[in-house]
Structures are given as structure tokens and as C-alpha cells.
Amino acid sequence: MQIQTVLFILLAAIVALALVLFQYYYKNKRKGKLQIILSFLRFLAIFGTLLLIINPKFTKNEYTLEKTNLVLLVDNSSSMTSEDKAKVISDLSSLKNKMESSSESFNILNYRFGAELSNSDSLGFTEKSTNISKALAGLNEIFTGTNTAVVLFTDGNQTRGEDYEFYGKRQKFPIYPVVLGDTTKYDDISISQINANRYAFLKNKFPLEVFISYDGKEEVSSELQVFVDDKLVYKEKISFSNISNTKIVNTQIEASTVGIKNIKVIVPPLPNEKNTANNEKLLALEVLDEKTNVAIISTVQHPDIGALKKAIESNEQRLVSIYRPDTDLSKLQEVDVYILYQPDASFDKVYKQIQLRKSNSFTILGTYTDLNFINRIQNNYLVETGYPVQELFASPNAAFSKFDISEFSVEGFPPLVSDAGPVNVLGIGEPLLKARIKGVDMDQPLLTTAEEDTAKHAILVGENIWKWRVQNYRNDQTFKDFDAFLGKLTLYLSTSKGKNRFVLDYSSIYNNSSETKIKATYFDEAFVFDSNASINIKVESKSTNTSVEVPMLLKDGYYEADLSNLPPGKYDFAATVTKGNLSRSGSFSILDFDAEKQFSSSNYAKLNRLAKNTGGKLYFPDHMDSLVKALETDPKFVPVQKSKQNVVPLIDFKFLLGIIIAALSLEWFIRKYNGLT
């Protein structure tokens, strides 16, 4: 407490005493105990009031000891051998026991990781992928602003995510890797990557690109072999040396039959090769007996045309050709979907062919469109004219029922430009997107469908859709959502089927079991998404003839079946809506691929660079004592004593106010009781 405050308190006591003496004893002839009690109560009241005004305070210091966080981060992936597993468990137990003597210096915390970071010391070594950089980034967020050290138990082989060596330069605390696995380098030939399309067309040849690498010092030779459904279809002699240690093999394989084809690429191992798991890779593709031919017809050159072509052809089942409206109509006989980009009077022959063939079309309106011609040449919809060029923003129609558009968001997308007015569908139609003009939601479609008999049409009121594809990439670093949305629209237009209330979304090929998920959307008879449906899926293995039935669980706007527990193989499935009497069937394949088995040695060199980048040091399991000593003697990890200074009132004002009120009340009562004024 400050001297000034003490002087104020003394002054308050003197003032209170002087006032009491003046009031009770100056020129007052009354004496006795009653006078003393009353003067004391008056002193308490006055002194307490003055203390409230002064409000004396004092400083209180609180001291705490902050320990260093010691994080034991363990690789829980399946790349660990049985010897590694036992060694890790033993080393962890040994390290914990040795660090018990330093319990006053460290808070010991246990984490494990595979694809994700987990706060647990229970180890199963079953994770199918390793993401070291993501685990380190997670610890960075958890322990930001604290004194932390990480002991990383791993073989250094990462199968997913950012390269942890470069991420380590952004790490905020030191990392001490403990190298697991075999550090000996063996001669090794491996298939590092295979590039192939997911789809091929019957009687066509599909490309196959194989990347092969060699790790060794001697000159060796081997033979690349490609099998399709266990039948040898291609082979090539390959040679390597310590200088020429990589090779890329390109070939063309003919798709002779329809269906899912299992492709096996093999490079026979060297005589003394230890790891043979990376000498073989499996993949699959689906051979289709037909493809969708899409024609884009336009008289203008516009970025929209390139964006449409790339988005539609992102699915290998579709081929896009670009024509002018005056092209020979015989070239358009095999077209499945016509995309009419900003049509004018020169499209007269094209429209007549569409009507004659009862073909499906997608019309895009813009500033170059002849709207009067559009209204005159067809009877599916009318476009109001006489509007100025304006910007049209998109707003999704949640009630759209033709196909699932729930995963495509137009939030923040740039506007389209058009001078067309509202589109009035004359037959059956349903808008996918509605227009928003100057922040106001308009009851008019921006993208809508129109049906007549077996033909289907779509109308987009506005140009510059290429900006949507760019915005999708800017948001997600991929064109996937935009391309999938346009792909679903193309699929809808390329078929003459009616409304489908039950739609499945799945892949014909899954690289491994963890990716195996099937999605479904179901609409009631009013074509409103039914969130109370009961959907079951029955999956049957083609190899074992065993089956399993599981329910599809409701997610955010769709149903999903997680089949990640299925082993690799070929499967048929049937999904059934219990009360709706609707079912859909299909087939898929799960490939037997384990990225964790592609490495034969630990990557201690990269772990050493990670340690240096973060200010740590590399250790081997036999040097745990050195690690413990380094942690205990490093001055960076000495516990820090921190003080917290709190300024608090000397007397609680509520307590003091109670004393003042009690003293005044008691004085008043005594005076009245004794007949004093």
C-alpha cells in the first residue's frame, strides 16, 4: 500500500475523531457509558464513510510455474513392421519412465497420427496413410504461444499432404525425430505412378503411362508387364543404372470388351530386392460401349465456349465438337445434345433439325442473341424482349428435382450479362437457378428446363458463364464442383428418361476401402427431398457370394452408405427405399492398394533436415538416454516462473457500507430509546 494512502487513512481517522469530539463533548455536560457508546458508533459511521471515499487498495502477487509441453507424437500407420511396433511401444514406455524424474520440468502429452491427428496413446498401427505435415500443423495450432517440444516417432515416409521437410521451416517449436524402421538402403525397383483414364470406349485404345524408378548403384535390367483381367497385353524390356534411374513407359491398350477392367502392372523384382510390394500396382477403368456426343454451335467467339467444352469433357464419357450453324447438317446426325450459343437467324436449319429429330438442346442467351428469332422458331418457351443489358446474379432453387444440385453453390459468383427478359416456359419446366437483380430476388429463372414429349431443353439467360468456372477454382483450387454441375445437366439432357425420384451417386472404381461411399437422394411424389425416408443398401461380393445389408444414413441434404469395411474386390449392390417401392442397382470395384507398403527403408535423411529446420536433433531408438539428457539440460525447456499482479480493495465496500448503516441505525435507536434528540 502506498504511503499516500496510509496518510489519507490517518487523516480520515483524525477528522472522524474531531467531528465526534465536537458533536458529543464540546460544551456537552453529559457523561457516562452511554455517551461513549454513541460517540463510538458515530466515529465508525464517519470513518467508514471517509474510507469509502478514499477507497484504499493494495497489490497482491500470485506466482505460477509454467512447465514445457513435451509432446510424444507417434506414427500409427500400417507401414510399421511387427518389430517396429514392439520397439515403439518399448521406447515410449522407456522414455516416459526416464522423464518421470523431470516431471517438474515437463508436461508429457501423447498424440498419434495417420491421415489425421488424434489425442491418444492407444496404438494399433492400422492407418492406411501418413500425413506428417498435417499432424505437425495440428500441434502448431493446439500449442501456439506455449513452450513446447515434440518427440516424433516415425519412419519418415509420408503418403499424403504437404512435404513435411518444407513445412518444418514454418514450425514454431523444435522437433526431435526418433527414426523407426530399417535405415539400410537396398537396391529397389518400384512403380511410382501410373496415369490412366477412368473410362475408355469400346474398340478404342486407351493410353497408359507408367513411371518406374530405381534406387541402387549397379546396372540392372527387368521387364515391364501389363495385364488386363490377368491376360498379358503388353511387355517391354527396361534398363537402369545409378545415373539413369528413372523411366517413363507410354503405351496404348485396346478396349475390346465392355465392363470394369482390372489392370495389373508388374516389374519383376531384382534377385536381392527386399521390398517387392512396390513392384506391382493395380488400377481399374470402365469400358463403355458408347459416349455422349455434344455439339456447341455458335457464330461468335467467346470464352464461354472453351469453358463449356472443358467442363463437359472433364468426364471421359463425353466428346464435345464445335460447329458454326452453316455447317453440313450430316455432321450433326450423331449429336446427342445441341448447345446453341447465342443463336440468331442463321440457326434456322439447326432448329429445324432439332425439331425433326426431337433432340435435346441447351440454349444460352446473351447480348448477341436474336430474341425475336428465338420466340419465332420454337414453341417450348417465350423470352420477353425490350430489356436493357443488365447483370444477373444466380440464386439456387432448393426445390429443383430433376437431379441433385445440393453440392453446387453459386454464393459469391460473378453475375451473367444479358438483355433478355423473363423466360416463360410453355410446357413442363423447372428452374435450377433463379435471377437476382440489384440485390433483389426476382421470380424469374436464370437457368431452367423445358420438356416436350421425349425431348428436353435447358435455357440459360446470360453469357460469361466462364467466370463461374474461374470463381469455382478461386474458391476451392479445383474446377470439380462446376464441372460436376454441368456434367449432371449434360447427363439429364442426354437421356430421354422421365423424372427420377431416386438418384445414386457413386464411383465405379475405388482405390481402397476407405474411399468406398455411396450417396443417394430421394424425393417424394411432390418432388420434395424426403428427410424421413428409410433406405437400405445390399452389397454382394462377386468372388465370395457373400452379402451385407446396411442402412443409408441421412447427411446434409443426401443419404450415404459408408462401406469402408469392405475388402478389395468386385461388388454388385442394390439400394431400396423401404416405403417408396423404388430401387436402384449398380456395381463397383475396390482396388487392393496400400500406399504404406511402398517403402522398404526409413527416410532418416529427410527427418534429419526436419530436425535442423526446427532447431531439434535426430535420434535413433538406441540413443534414448541421449535424448532424455538433451531435453533435461536444454535451457530452452527450463520451467518459467510467472507472476500475476492483482490490485484489490483493502476493504470490501459492501461490508464497509453494512458497518456504516449498522452504526447509524444503532446510534439512532439508542438515542430514541433514551429520549435523546
Side-chain angles (χ1 to χ4, degrees), residues 135-178:
L136 296 178
L139 293 179
N140 238 355
E141 293 182 6
I142 295 171
F143 297 102
T144 183
T146 64
N147 193 19
T148 302
V150 177
V151 179
L152 173 62
F153 291 84
T154 181
D155 57 9
N157 294 317
Q158 179 170 289
T159 59
R160 294 179 63 181
E162 179 185 354
D163 190 327
Y164 64 86
E165 177 185 347
F166 297 102
Y167 175 79
K169 297 178 180 179
R170 307 197 301 271
Q171 195 71 23
K172 298 179 181 177
F173 36 74
I175 298 173
Y176 297 84
V178 177

Side-chain angles (χ1 to χ4, degrees), residues 419 458 543 554:
D419 59 353
S543 58
L554 179 65

Side-chain angles (χ1 to χ4, degrees), residues 368-427:
Y368 297 96
T369 307
D370 187 341
L371 299 178
N372 293 321
F373 167 75
I374 293 290
N375 291 333
R376 185 176 68 255
I377 198 66
Q378 50 79 40
N379 299 315
N380 301 311
Y381 55 90
L382 285 174
V383 184
E384 295 184 21
T385 60
Y387 285 77
V389 176
Q390 56 188 346
E391 293 183 340
L392 305 174
F393 289 86
S395 176
N397 178 21
F400 182 73
S401 61
K402 305 293 184 184
F403 50 86
D404 182 22
I405 61 172
S406 59
E407 294 186 1
F408 180 65
S409 173
V410 293
E411 185 69 28
F413 274 31
L416 303 182
V417 176
S418 177
D419 59 353
V423 175
N424 301 305
V425 178
L426 301 179

Side-chain angles (χ1 to χ4, degrees), residues 575-587:
T576 305
V577 181
T578 305
K579 296 182 179 180
N581 197 26
L582 292 174
S583 65
R584 296 287 182 269
S585 61
S587 61

Side-chain angles (χ1 to χ4, degrees), residues 325-336:
D326 57 358
T327 191
D328 188 349
L329 293 181
S330 62
K331 296 181 180 180
L332 304 178
Q333 289 296 326
E334 301 300 323
V335 171
D336 298 305

Side-chain angles (χ1 to χ4, degrees), residues 479-499:
F479 301 112
K480 180 180 177 182
D481 289 344
F482 177 86
D483 292 353
F485 172 75
L486 211 57
K488 290 179 179 180
L489 178 61
T490 305
L491 180 62
Y492 163 76
L493 293 173
S494 63
T495 176
S496 297
K497 296 179 181 179
K499 294 182 178 179

